[in-house]
Amino acid sequence: MVKYQESEEMYLETILLLKQKCANVHAINIAEELGYSKPSVSRGMGLLIQKGYITIGSGGEIQFTEAGKQKAEGIYERHTVITKLLEKTGASREIAEENACRIEHVITPELFEILKEYLKNG
């Protein structure tokens, strides 16, 4: 279950970041960004559709549902807050990014709120 959740979150975050660069995101863009095979990404997109996070237009463009956009933005917020916090402790940007990617999938909402507040006030 955790592995699927990580993949789901990675796909959502990747879609969000790609949409910041280009309005029309397709499965091939995600495959190229993540280095995944097209069939793997297609399976992942199917699961995101089933969960109600995305829709795919007639031209293959991926669109967030409201729930999908909120979830993706929450994932990205966790990533950026954790990265900033790790950098504040002295970690390089590269180490902070790499570890934030790992931590963001397992941190509890309660601890995340504590860390976010600490970073805001610290």
Side-chain angles (χ1 to χ4, degrees), residues 44-92:
M45 295 305 100
L47 293 170
L48 293 178
I49 290 168
Q50 286 177 353
K51 293 202 96 172
Y53 293 139
I54 64 166
T55 60
I56 299 184
S58 59
E61 64 281 352
I62 298 166
Q63 296 297 326
F64 281 122
T65 63
E66 189 57 39
K69 185 174 184 197
Q70 287 179 358
K71 185 158 178 83
E73 288 172 344
I75 293 162
Y76 187 62
E77 179 187 31
R78 284 196 320 252
H79 180 91
T80 56
V81 166
I82 293 167
T83 298
K84 288 176 186 173
L85 184 65
L86 294 174
E87 285 180 309
K88 194 171 181 176
T89 67
S92 70

Side-chain angles (χ1 to χ4, degrees), residues 1-24:
M1 177 62 181
V2 172
K3 185 147 177 74
Y4 169 72
Q5 182 180 349
E6 288 176 13
S7 296
E8 173 186 299
E9 291 182 356
M10 187 177 311
Y11 282 131
L12 290 169
E13 185 175 20
T14 300
I15 294 166
L16 181 71
L17 294 174
L18 288 171
K19 281 186 160 297
Q20 290 175 354
K21 298 176 192 172
C22 177
N24 290 323

Side-chain angles (χ1 to χ4, degrees), residues 80-82 84-85 88 114-122:
T80 56
V81 166
I82 293 167
K84 288 176 186 173
L85 184 65
K88 194 171 181 176
I114 291 167
L115 295 177
K116 191 165 79 168
E117 195 62 30
Y118 173 78
L119 189 61
K120 186 171 113 178
N121 295 324

